Amino acid sequence: MKNNLIAKTERATDQGRIAPVGREGDFTSGEIATGRRLFAGPWDFIAAAGSLAALPAMRGVEIAFAGRSNVGKSSLINALTGRHALARISHTPGRTQELIFFAGGENLVLVDMPGYGYAAAAKTKIKAWTALIHAFLQGRANLARVYVLVDARHGLKPNDDDILRTLDRAAVNYQIVLTKADKVKEGERAAVLATTSAALAQHPAAYPEVLVTSAHTGAGMPELRAAIARLLKERAVA
Ligand SMILES: Nc1nc2c(ncn2[C@@H]2O[C@H](COP(=O)(O)OP(=O)(O)OP(=O)(O)O)[C@@H](O)[C@H]2O)c(=O)[nH]1
Ligand SMILES: [Mg+2]
């Protein structure tokens, strides 16, 4: 079974034991090492697109990181690639205002997306960003997976549901990643993990398992790298 790392975490939680974040679960040490190598090479900025017309030509396998404003998308990309400032982060929401494309080894392209739900931005901007996000997620043929990031303190919000529905409709496979796990106590994290996992039953294109990560501590990064390496391998064979 693909990528059932967190199924184990959930089982452990069901049994009343709180599993540590970032456990290596179902990945072999070889897969973890392959994931590490995949992300250890050079990463380059290739394009920033504020509209569909500005999108770069499709190349390689794209993996996008979507989520509410300030959830930690850019930070996760930096943590995955081991760079401090590949993607720009900020203490104020609304930092990433375009789709930003980064190319790494083995044809892998990471896409940092603008956040949705940023209430302080001008209405016209919010509308344009939201339209761009939805259009990109529905219409990009080489988009292999979307990681939808959700704050481990807050769980899914109504505007996350809009994105999940778009992905379901477009049949783009996606997985929920809880972020900022370092900011919540184990009990809270388990509760959010349980409600988030339960909500996914309504979403056919979602992986049933939820990943738990922290860009600050690095928890979950080896597994996320291994999962992406596994996806690339599957694509290469297909
Ligand atoms: N404690 C903690 N803070 C985090 C973590 N990840 C991100 N942050 C903080 O959250 C804030 C927002 O992070 P970004 O990575 O810019 O979030 P984003 O989702 O890219 O935001 P937008 O581009 O505005 O949509 C920054 O202050 C980060 O330092 C984490 O794992 N733990
Ligand atoms: Mg950002």
Side-chain angles (χ1 to χ4, degrees):
M1 184 182 151
K2 280 196 262 185
N3 200 15
N4 54 353
L5 154 71
I6 298 301
K8 280 196 175 166
T9 308
E10 285 168 23
R11 277 198 295 278
T13 306
D14 289 346
Q15 289 158 13
R17 289 182 287 113
I18 306 300
V21 287
R23 53 187 287 162
E24 295 193 358
D26 292 287
F27 295 102
T28 63
S29 54
E31 283 181 306
I32 293 285
T34 304
R36 187 175 56 239
R37 275 197 302 276
L38 175 63
F39 282 86
W43 282 92
D44 297 306
F45 165 87
I46 48 174
S51 67
L52 285 183
L55 288 176
M58 288 190 258
R59 75 181 233 201
V61 172
E62 285 178 352
I63 297 193
F65 296 83
R68 286 163 58 80
S69 188
N70 210 43
V71 72
K73 300 172 294 294
S74 302
S75 301
L76 192 77
I77 288 177
N78 287 338
L80 275 175
T81 56
R83 312 297 141 97
H84 291 299
L86 182 67
R88 288 194 200 149
I89 64 160
S90 150
H91 292 288
T92 49
R95 186 67 186 91
T96 309
Q97 306 200 348
E98 296 170 297
L99 296 164
I100 315 283
F101 295 77
F102 300 106
E106 298 184 37
N107 270 333
L108 177 60
V109 175
L110 303 182
V111 187
D112 190 11
M113 301 190 74
Y116 43 84
Y118 174 38
K123 281 217 168 68
T124 47
K125 260 192 162 179
I126 296 177
K127 234 179 147 180
W129 285 345
T130 309
L132 176 63
I133 292 166
H134 283 259
F136 176 79
L137 293 177
Q138 286 172 78
R140 191 78 171 167
N142 61 332
L143 183 60
R145 180 173 298 163
V146 178
Y147 287 104
V148 180
L149 278 50
V150 171
D151 194 312
R153 295 169 296 180
H154 309 312
L156 285 166
K157 298 282 180 192
N159 45 13
D160 291 314
D161 286 337
D162 294 342
I163 288 290
L164 303 194
R165 272 197 296 272
T166 288
L167 292 169
D168 288 329
R169 267 199 308 271
V172 176
N173 87 68
Y174 63 93
Q175 185 163 21
I176 303 288
V177 175
L178 296 184
T179 60
K180 309 190 187 184
D182 57 287
K183 286 205 170 186
V184 290
K185 296 206 172 72
E186 284 188 351
E188 275 174 80
R189 189 168 68 219
V192 170
L193 191 54
T195 44
T196 308
S197 303
L200 291 182
Q202 316 294 323
H203 293 284
Y207 271 74
E209 300 85 13
V210 174
L211 293 166
V212 181
T213 65
S214 165
H216 281 196
T217 66
M221 293 308 127
E223 295 76 15
L224 198 43
R225 293 186 195 110
I228 293 171
R230 194 185 273 181
L231 175 73
L232 283 188
K233 196 171 154 199
E234 286 166 3
R235 288 271 155 156
V237 173

